[in-house]
């Protein structure tokens, strides 16, 4: 039971962590909480249904399941990355030198816009996707790990390692870190700040897209409002880990998934969401910088 | 003083104009009835099924020349399955002076809305709200054409005890008036004979129920009961399969809809659902099905109930010759109606005198009566 709940919690937490990375990266550079980020995740989930539908129509899943999943994830990352870059270009860049509250409100507006856009374009009802991968998977010490759960853990760990390597080793990653330390100075020493910010949004949004695809495969239910709760929870994960810190977002995501699952199973499932926000409040009171953060959090 | 009078007259004149225009904007020669339920959101199918059925009934009356020489106009009200929205719809209906309301769908909406209809002396007939409290408020103008959750919970419990014969059961609900009420009646009916190993609520609209399902699995129940509606039920059975919980789910009329099977896929197989008796054999029901299908496609589980509710309301207006709520309520409570669903008469609370719940089972992607 303990092991099973840990696996459930890690799978859920991996999804939170992937979304939380987008929050934390954008905050690290712009000190902006991108409230439209949850909607990008929702877009990723819708894209999964659309792409999977198209691929199933041509019969690809029967030929190669792995290829189907790779194409779906790639297309969702591409589209959501473009959405992320567009959101930054349209809603945040014009307000870069405005008071901090202005881009924040712009972010909330963007979130409402995207939600309503999807509601009008795709309808208000739940969209469903039948289970594609077998419900049976491995049995580890009496606990079941389904194929989808393995996929979620595997994909998210790979992406997180890749991101960590990219940020710490690559030239662009270095530019990213420089920009997050001091945007003006980075610009003065020749870093193309606008490009760095665009790349940050593209990476964050494509990670959210992957989370969206994985959740569609996991639960099979997609709804235009799903980005709201998931966004809030991922934001909590980012704060728990220390907003602005990439390893913090990863740890925060997994930790939150575990807290939710243990709370729901050992205390009461009726208060599952309450545990998340209790964590948010406790973190903000006792350790506002989060587990891995150094800077203090600006008031939102 | 003169100026004051002048401005007062102008003001009154302006007000009169506004009031008058408000009156003329709608047809004076029509009788308005409300059709209220969730028409957007995840339970939207139920509200739309309800509205279609009421519109079908109204269209049939209008073809025959309407009621009391007036056309019938259906005003749809979308309560989004939200009690707050339901109250605002109720207020709208009161202001529009509807002759009666068919609705609402959710018990959590019907109960607060019924207070407003009662105050405004408007007849309300719910086709689907099964929580017993709705008709226990002492409101003479509130009726329902479906059964109640104590009856339903009793039927489910009897079936579980006599047919499934479990030793241990788990009970969960969606924390709504309907879901929790039904789960509590079920629990009360089985408690003395089997061990209830788990009882808790779950969050509506949540995507992940694995934590609670894993906990339930650990308690090794032979069956589990869910009080709630189909979107949650579908996610529950689907995830139950994934965590390896093999005990069957027993649930109520809120899950009786093909959408449940569509979302859950093969995981829905073997789920037991309490619902009204099969109407396939009734000629009146067949007629209704044909007409409804021609106009809107396949009827939903509660379409026929809404259709009967609308007909009860309209035939009572015809028979009493008035749209006065008190007189209509009096007539409805005393009369035996011939509905598409069979004979319907009401007891002193406004509940149907016969509520035949039976147990259905999902088999090969369809609901079939379980024996």
């Amino acid at each position: 039971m303990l092991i099973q709940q840990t696996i459930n919690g890690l799978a859920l937490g991996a999804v939170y962590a992937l979304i939380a990375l987008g929050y934390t990266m954008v905050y690290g550079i712009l000190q902006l909480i991108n409230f439209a980020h949850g909607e990008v995740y929702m877009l990723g989930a819708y894209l999964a249904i659309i792409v999977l539908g198209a691929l199933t129509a041509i019969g690809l899943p029967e030929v190669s399941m792995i290829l189907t999943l790779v194409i779906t994830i790639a297309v969702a990352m591409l589209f959501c990355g473009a959405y992320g870059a567009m959101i930054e270009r349209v809603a945040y860049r014009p307000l870069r030198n405005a008071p901090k509250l202005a881009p924040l409100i712009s972010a909330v507006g963007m979130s409402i816009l995207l939600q309503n856009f999807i509601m009008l374009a795709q309808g208000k009802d739940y969209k469903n996707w039948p289970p594609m991968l077998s419900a049976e998977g491995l049995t580890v010490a009496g606990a079941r790990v389904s194929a989808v759960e393995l996929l979620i853990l595997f994909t998210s760990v790979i992406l997180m390692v890749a991101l960590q390597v990219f940020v710490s080793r690559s030239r662009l990653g270095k530019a990213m870190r420089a920009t997050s330390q001091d945007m003006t100075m980075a610009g003065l020493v020749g870093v193309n700040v606008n490009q760095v910010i665009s790349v940050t949004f593209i990476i964050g949004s494509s990670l959210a897209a992957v989370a969206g695809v994985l959740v569609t495969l996991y639960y099979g239910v997609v709804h235009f409002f799903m980005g709201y709760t998931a966004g809030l929870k991922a934001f909590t994960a980012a704060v728990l880990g220390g907003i602005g810190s990439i390893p913090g977002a990863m740890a925060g995501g997994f930790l939150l998934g575990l807290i939710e699952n243990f709370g729901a199973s050992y205390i009461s499932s009726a208060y599952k969401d309450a545990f998340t926000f209790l964590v948010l409040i406790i973190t903000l009171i006792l350790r506002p910088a989060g587990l891995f953060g150094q800077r203090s959090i600006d008031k939102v | 003083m003169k100026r004051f009078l002048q401005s007062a007259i102008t003001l009154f004149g302006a007000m009169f104009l506004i009031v008058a225009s408000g009156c003329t904007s709608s047809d004076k020669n029509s009788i308005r009835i409300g059709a209220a339920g969730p028409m957007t959101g995840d339970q939207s199918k139920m509200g739309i099924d309800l509205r279609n059925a009421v519109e079908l009934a109204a269209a049939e009356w209008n073809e025959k020349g309407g009621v009391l020489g007036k056309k019938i106009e259906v005003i749809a009200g979308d309560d989004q399955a939200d009690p707050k929205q339901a109250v605002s719809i109720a207020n709208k209906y009161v202001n529009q002076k509807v002759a009666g309301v068919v609705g609402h769908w959710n018990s959590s909406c019907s109960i607060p809305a019924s207070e407003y209809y009662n105050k405004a002396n408007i007849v309300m007939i719910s086709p689907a709200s099964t929580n017993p409290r709705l008709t226990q408020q002492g409101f003479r103008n509130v009726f329902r054409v479906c059964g109640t959750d104590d009856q339903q919970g009793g039927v489910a419990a009897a079936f579980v005890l006599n047919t499934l014969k479990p030793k241990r059961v788990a009970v969960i609900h969606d924390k709504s008036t309907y879901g929790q009420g039904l789960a509590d009646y079920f629990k009360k009916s089985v408690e003395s004979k089997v061990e209830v190993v788990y009882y808790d609520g779950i969050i509506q609209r949540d995507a992940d129920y694995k934590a609670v399902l894993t906990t339930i699995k650990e308690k090794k129940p032979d069956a589990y009961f869910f009080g709630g509606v189909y979107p949650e039920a579908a996610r529950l059975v689907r995830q139950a399969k994934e965590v390896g919980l093999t005990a069957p789910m027993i649930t109520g009329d809120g899950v009786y809809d093909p959408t449940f099977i569509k979302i859950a896929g093969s995981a829905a197989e073997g789920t037991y659902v309490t619902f009204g008796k099969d109407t396939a054999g009734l000629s009146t029901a067949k007629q209704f099905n044909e007409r409804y299908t021609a106009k809107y496609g396949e009827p939903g589980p509660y379409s026929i109930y809404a259709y009967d509710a609308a007909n009860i309301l309209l035939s009572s207006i015809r028979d009493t010759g008035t749209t006065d709520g008190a007189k209509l309520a009096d007539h409805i409570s005393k009369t035996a109606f011939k509905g598409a669903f069979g004979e319907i008469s009401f007891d002193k609370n406004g509940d149907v005198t016969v509520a035949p719940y039976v147990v259905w089972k999902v088999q090969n992607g369809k609901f079939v009566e379980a024996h």
Side-chain angles (χ1 to χ4, degrees):
Chain A
M1 163 102 161
L2 189 71
I3 300 166
Q4 183 72 64
Q5 293 292 12
T6 310
I7 291 163
N8 293 346
L10 287 177
L12 186 64
V15 172
Y16 291 155
L18 284 178
I19 311 173
L21 282 169
Y23 276 108
T24 229
M25 285 167 69
V26 167
Y27 185 87
I29 288 186
L30 289 178
Q31 280 79 52
L32 160 75
I33 295 173
N34 178 12
F35 278 113
H37 191 59
E39 284 12 283
V40 176
Y41 152 80
M42 177 266 291
L43 278 169
Y46 268 91
L47 277 165
I49 290 215
I50 294 165
V51 178
L52 284 172
L55 293 178
T56 308
I58 60 166
L60 189 64
E62 283 146 43
V63 183
S64 166
M65 183 57 85
I66 293 179
L67 191 63
T68 312
L69 296 177
V70 169
I71 293 178
T72 310
I73 289 178
V75 173
M77 283 175 91
L78 213 68
F79 263 86
C80 289
Y83 260 102
M86 278 296 287
I87 290 170
E88 191 269 330
R89 190 73 190 78
V90 172
Y92 307 141
R93 195 176 293 180
L95 296 170
R96 189 159 309 153
N97 298 317
K100 268 189 181 163
L101 213 52
L104 196 73
I105 290 166
S106 183
V108 174
M110 203 65 205
S111 157
I112 296 170
L113 177 84
L114 285 172
Q115 257 180 37
N116 284 277
F117 164 60
I118 292 298
M119 185 185 83
L120 291 173
Q122 294 285 328
K124 293 167 180 167
D125 294 333
Y126 276 85
K127 290 218 179 309
N128 313 299
W129 191 253
M132 284 184 94
L133 303 164
S134 85
E136 277 108 69
L138 299 174
T139 307
V140 184
R144 293 156 58 104
V145 194
S146 69
V148 190
E149 280 165 337
L150 282 176
L151 179 76
I152 291 176
L153 293 171
F154 180 73
T155 317
S156 55
V157 168
I158 285 190
L159 286 171
M160 285 174 201
V161 171
L163 179 70
Q164 193 61 38
V165 171
F166 171 78
V167 172
S168 58
R169 298 282 162 83
S170 77
R171 219 179 135 75
L172 205 53
K174 204 183 255 177
M176 219 177 242
R177 279 180 292 143
T179 312
S180 87
Q181 277 171 11
D182 193 325
M183 201 187 287
T184 324
M185 274 310 291
L188 287 175
V189 297
V191 172
N192 185 345
V193 174
N194 277 337
Q195 190 199 10
V196 166
I197 291 172
S198 290
V199 168
T200 308
F201 270 86
I202 290 171
I203 293 176
S205 301
S206 14
L207 291 175
V210 177
V213 174
L214 293 174
V215 152
T216 308
L217 292 169
Y218 196 28
Y219 304 126
V221 194
V222 165
H223 189 236
F224 74 91
F225 205 62
M226 68 190 283
Y228 177 76
T229 335
L232 274 183
K233 286 185 177 174
F235 172 67
T236 306
V239 171
L240 176 63
I243 195 150
S245 153
I246 289 175
M250 298 176 190
F254 282 116
L255 204 56
L256 193 68
L258 290 173
I259 291 171
E260 262 196 10
N261 257 274
F262 287 131
S265 58
Y266 290 108
I267 304 172
S268 169
S269 60
Y271 297 102
K272 196 176 154 209
D273 285 352
F275 298 122
T276 308
F277 301 116
L278 203 64
V279 166
L280 180 63
I281 293 167
I282 292 173
T283 314
L284 287 175
I285 292 172
L286 296 182
R287 200 178 159 83
L291 299 173
F292 290 73
Q294 284 112 31
R295 275 173 301 186
S296 68
I297 292 174
D298 287 297
K299 203 162 71 178
V300 178
Chain B
M1 189 64 197
K2 203 179 157 194
R3 284 190 68 143
F4 169 77
L5 261 180
Q6 230 171 17
S7 51
I9 287 166
T10 323
L11 198 68
F12 273 112
M15 273 168 68
F16 178 74
L17 269 177
I18 291 164
V19 173
S21 66
C23 285
T24 48
S25 69
S26 83
D27 194 353
K28 257 193 171 172
N29 290 317
S30 71
I31 290 176
R32 277 173 280 188
I33 60 171
M39 290 163 205
T40 55
D42 58 335
Q43 296 171 13
S44 59
K45 184 177 176 296
M46 293 302 178
I48 294 165
D49 287 346
L50 183 157
R51 185 194 63 205
N52 288 347
V54 175
E55 275 174 356
L56 178 68
E60 284 173 11
W61 280 85
N62 283 338
E63 270 169 39
K64 290 182 275 179
V67 179
L68 310 180
K70 293 177 180 175
K71 288 273 173 207
I72 297 141
E73 191 189 333
V74 177
I75 302 174
D78 175 17
D79 64 25
Q80 298 166 13
D82 176 359
K84 294 190 289 292
Q85 208 55 37
V87 165
S88 106
I89 295 287
N91 271 320
K92 194 183 99 184
Y93 283 154
V94 170
N95 290 333
Q96 289 178 327
K97 298 197 170 49
V98 296
V101 177
V102 176
H104 298 219
W105 195 77
N106 307 75
S107 294
S108 48
C109 292
S110 287
I111 293 171
S114 65
E115 249 179 74
Y116 289 79
Y117 299 134
N118 183 56
K119 257 184 240 158
N121 193 22
I122 291 172
V123 171
M124 159 183 173
I125 309 176
S126 171
S129 294
T130 47
N131 189 284
R133 241 172 51 214
L134 175 63
T135 48
Q136 289 167 358
Q137 303 173 98
F139 299 159
R140 288 209 19 90
N141 58 318
V142 177
F143 302 89
R144 66 174 131 214
V145 291
C146 52
T148 58
D149 290 338
D150 39 359
Q151 296 167 328
Q152 187 174 183
V155 168
F159 175 80
V160 166
L161 295 175
N162 298 331
T163 313
L164 300 179
K165 298 194 177 69
K167 291 195 178 66
R168 304 152 69 83
V169 295
V171 179
I172 44 176
H173 59 79
D174 66 0
K175 299 199 287 180
S176 72
T177 311
Y178 161 74
Q180 188 164 8
L182 181 58
D184 286 346
Y185 284 110
F186 175 83
K187 184 167 163 257
K188 216 161 61 190
S189 316
V190 296
E191 228 161 19
S192 56
K193 290 164 195 106
V194 297
E195 193 186 344
V196 177
V197 290
Y198 186 83
Y199 175 86
D200 205 350
I202 57 160
I203 297 165
Q204 265 185 321
R205 294 185 180 85
D206 194 2
D208 188 288
Y209 294 128
K210 291 209 168 164
V212 61
L213 289 166
T214 304
T215 314
I216 291 176
K217 185 194 163 199
E218 213 53 33
K219 310 261 184 195
K220 296 189 176 59
D222 304 305
Y224 67 107
F225 186 88
F226 171 59
V229 188
Y230 62 89
E232 281 74 30
R235 268 169 278 162
L236 279 168
V237 290
R238 202 169 150 170
Q239 290 172 25
K241 205 175 166 191
E242 281 165 16
V243 303
L245 174 64
T246 48
M249 174 195 265
I250 299 114
T251 180
D253 60 326
V255 178
Y256 186 93
D257 189 275
T259 319
F260 167 66
I261 302 171
K262 208 177 91 194
I263 305 176
S266 63
E269 291 293 310
T271 304
Y272 296 97
V273 182
T274 46
F275 192 69
K277 63 181 193 295
D278 196 355
T279 55
L282 284 169
S283 65
T284 44
K286 224 172 118 189
Q287 234 173 30
F288 161 78
N289 279 349
E290 277 163 17
R291 283 189 215 141
Y292 187 100
T293 310
K295 224 170 162 176
Y296 307 104
E298 182 138 359
Y302 276 103
S303 294
I304 194 164
Y305 289 82
Y307 178 77
D308 277 359
N311 278 326
I312 287 171
L313 181 64
L314 292 170
S315 66
S316 301
I317 295 173
R318 179 196 61 199
D319 294 346
T320 53
T322 171
T323 56
D324 179 70
K327 285 185 189 139
L328 282 177
D330 202 43
H331 178 80
I332 293 172
S333 61
K334 280 183 191 149
T335 314
F337 295 89
K338 275 247 173 284
F341 191 67
E343 189 159 299
I344 301 170
S345 53
F346 299 94
D347 67 11
K348 62 179 193 327
N349 290 332
D351 290 328
V352 283
T353 43
V354 196
Y357 277 109
V358 293
V359 177
W360 297 70
K361 186 184 184 183
V362 180
Q363 212 165 17
N364 302 325
K366 276 206 163 79
F367 288 103
V368 293
E369 261 187 65
H371 298 287

